[in-house]
Structure formats: C-alpha cells, structure tokens
Amino acid sequence: MARMDQIDSEALRTLRYQHYWLTNLGILKLRRHLNRDELDAAEHVLAQLRAAPIDTPELSFSVSMLEIDLSGRRTDYSSALMLTEQKLQDLNRKEADIYQRLKAMVVKARMFDRAALPQKGFSVALRAACLAHTAQILPVLWEAIGAMSRVLISVKEYDAAVRLVEHTLPQALECEDCALTAYLFSCLADGRMGMAGRSKDNTSQQNENLAKALSSLDRSFEEFSKIEDVKGQCEMLAKRATIMHLNGDLVLANDFAAKYLDIRKAAKEQQ
C-alpha cells in the first residue's frame, strides 16, 4: 500500500492510468480488509469498485473472486457458489483466459469444502488439476491438489492426502504465494492429525504424526500471519490448542487459546 501511495502524480495525469491505479488500489484494500476480517469495510470497498466500470479483464476477474471470498467469509455459501457458477458460465461464453477459468473452478471446489461439502467439489478440482497440468499453470495446479486432498481427508484417506500434499509443497513454495502455502500446510496438518487419530494411543507413530501436524500448523500460521489473515491464524491456533489439550498439556493449550483471543480482540479493535 505504501508503494502505491509513492507513485508520482505526474504518471497519473492521464485518466486511463489514474482509473487503472485506483482500481488496483481498491483491490489491494479489499483484499486487506478480507484478510483482517473487516467484512463491513470490505463490503464498502467492493461497492466502490463495482460503481465504476472495469475495462481490464484481469482486474474485473480479481474483483469477482474477492466478492466470492467475501460471501464465503460471511458463511453465505449459497451466494458464493451461485456467483462462482455465474462467473464460470461468463468465462466460458467469452472464451476467457484459461488461467481465469481454472482458478474459478478451484475456487468452486474450495467453496464446497468451506460449506462442509468437500466431496461435491472433487470432480471440478480433479478437472482443474488435469487442465492446469496440461497448460502448465502451476499455482492453480498446486491449489487444485490441495482441494483434492481435502476430499481425501473427508473420506478418511489420510495417507493418500498427506502423500499428495507432501509431493506438492516443495514446488508450491517456489511460487512465494503465502495464501497458497498456508492452505497447503493446513491440508497437510489435517491429514497428519487424521493419521494420528488412526494410530494406537501413545505410540511412537502417533506421537510422530502429531509432531508433524504441529509443525505444519506452525508453518501455516506463519504464512497466514504474513498476509494478516485473522481467520486463518485463529483456525491454526485453535487446532494447536486442541492437540495440546488432547496431549494433556493444558498450559500450552491455554496459551494458544489466549493467543487466539488476543488476535480476535486486536482485529475487532482495528475495525
């Protein structure tokens, strides 16, 4: 945001450039409000962006994806899925950029997962992964694989989900996309916790899986912190507190719970 404000005003004397700059600035503000869980502020910025026509297809697509994310964060999953389907139909009619079509497909699969219906998104996630692999659009491929792992976890195929994500993470880290990395580490942690739940109590195998799950939660929390994603941070802390509680380490569990409350409180004070 600071870099955007440092742009020389002389460069924005042309109306077209000024409109492009203002749209990008609005998208950055909208994404930041969403990450900070400031949904009313996000709604206001979105209304401002929608008030003016957006001629650039890439910026229009970004605004549409953020609008879908806003509906998802409000837990209005029916509206989010409806908007996603409308966007997909629009993209198919216009024969839009393949990245946009694949990204919208992955967003649809992830929205099913957020709505606690991950298995409904399996076919679209698999199709997106296959097409992304063919087109070599790697960030979308890694995200689609993460969506597929969520389906595997939902049907208790924890080993397969962990193998899938573990083979993906080294390449995904090269993208330097904090949101993507946080998502994949979260999927890996859930898979490891599922494997630990299947192991016998207090065995070395269970302890190893729990330790790896905690490590993945730590990495996911770090990545969410970089983009100030309050909801993601709190979710990781809640899972860490749950694991510590199950291990009988009530002191650490309470520490994580307190940190969870602190982040929530700080987010509310910023609104």
Side-chain angles (χ1 to χ4, degrees), residues 53-83:
I54 302 176
D55 299 328
T56 310
E58 291 79 10
L59 296 183
S60 177
F61 177 77
S62 296
V63 172
S64 296
M65 292 299 101
L66 291 172
E67 182 178 9
I68 292 167
D69 187 25
L70 175 60
S71 295
R73 288 175 184 268
R74 289 194 182 280
T75 66
D76 188 1
Y77 301 119
S78 58
S79 294
L81 287 167
M82 182 186 67
L83 289 170

Side-chain angles (χ1 to χ4, degrees), residues 2-250:
R3 288 185 181 181
M4 292 290 287
D5 292 332
Q6 291 171 3
I7 292 178
D8 187 1
S9 58
E10 288 296 318
L12 303 175
R13 292 181 66 182
T14 305
L15 183 61
R16 180 182 177 185
Y17 294 157
Q18 186 182 46
H19 178 64
Y20 186 80
W21 177 78
L22 287 172
T23 304
N24 275 286
L25 186 62
I27 289 172
L28 288 174
K29 287 182 178 179
L30 176 54
R31 184 175 285 115
R32 185 174 65 176
H33 285 314
L34 288 172
N35 286 344
R36 292 180 175 179
D37 207 30
E38 300 167 354
L39 302 186
D40 290 338
E43 192 90 52
H44 178 68
V45 175
L46 177 63
Q48 290 180 326
L49 287 168
R50 289 299 190 196
I54 302 176
D55 299 328
T56 310
E58 291 79 10
L59 296 183
S60 177
F61 177 77
S62 296
V63 172
S64 296
M65 292 299 101
L66 291 172
E67 182 178 9
I68 292 167
D69 187 25
L70 175 60
S71 295
R73 288 175 184 268
R74 289 194 182 280
T75 66
D76 188 1
Y77 301 119
S78 58
S79 294
L81 287 167
M82 182 186 67
L83 289 170
T84 309
E85 190 60 39
Q86 288 176 353
K87 191 62 182 178
L88 276 168
Q89 292 175 3
D90 185 47
L91 291 170
N92 289 330
R93 280 197 303 269
K94 293 180 179 178
E95 296 184 356
D97 183 84
I98 187 169
Y99 165 79
Q100 295 180 9
R101 294 205 301 269
L102 295 179
K103 178 66 176 178
M105 289 167 68
V106 174
V107 167
K108 182 179 180 179
R110 289 188 62 178
M111 196 56 65
F112 275 122
D113 179 42
R114 290 165 72 172
L117 299 167
Q119 294 172 45
K120 283 195 171 185
F122 179 73
S123 61
V124 68
L126 180 60
R127 191 162 69 253
C130 292
L131 292 172
H133 181 266
T134 302
Q136 287 296 288
I137 304 176
L138 300 183
V140 178
L141 173 59
W142 310 144
E143 190 175 3
I145 288 174
M148 289 167 60
S149 75
R150 299 297 306 171
V151 178
L152 292 171
I153 290 169
S154 72
V155 295
K156 300 183 179 180
E157 292 290 342
Y158 305 118
D159 292 354
V162 167
R163 288 198 303 270
L164 201 60
V165 178
E166 282 185 336
H167 283 86
T168 299
L169 264 170
Q171 293 116 321
L173 288 168
E174 295 178 4
C175 297
E176 297 184 352
D177 184 336
C178 294
L180 172 61
T181 306
Y183 174 60
L184 291 175
F185 272 116
S186 174
C187 294
L188 182 59
D190 287 348
R192 284 292 179 185
M193 284 190 284
M195 291 173 67
R198 281 189 168 179
S199 305
K200 293 182 179 179
D201 292 341
N202 298 320
T203 59
S204 59
Q205 186 179 16
Q206 185 185 60
N207 292 332
E208 180 185 357
N209 282 319
L210 284 175
K212 289 183 176 179
L214 283 170
S215 176
S216 296
L217 289 172
D218 288 341
R219 290 296 304 274
S220 183
F221 178 81
E222 289 173 8
E223 297 299 321
F224 278 127
S225 299
K226 290 177 184 177
I227 56 175
E228 301 180 345
D229 191 320
V230 172
K231 190 173 182 179
Q233 291 178 73
C234 289
E235 185 179 344
M236 296 308 106
L237 286 173
K239 290 179 180 179
R240 288 161 77 183
T242 301
I243 292 176
M244 290 304 174
H245 184 77
L246 292 173
N247 281 343
D249 195 337
L250 300 182

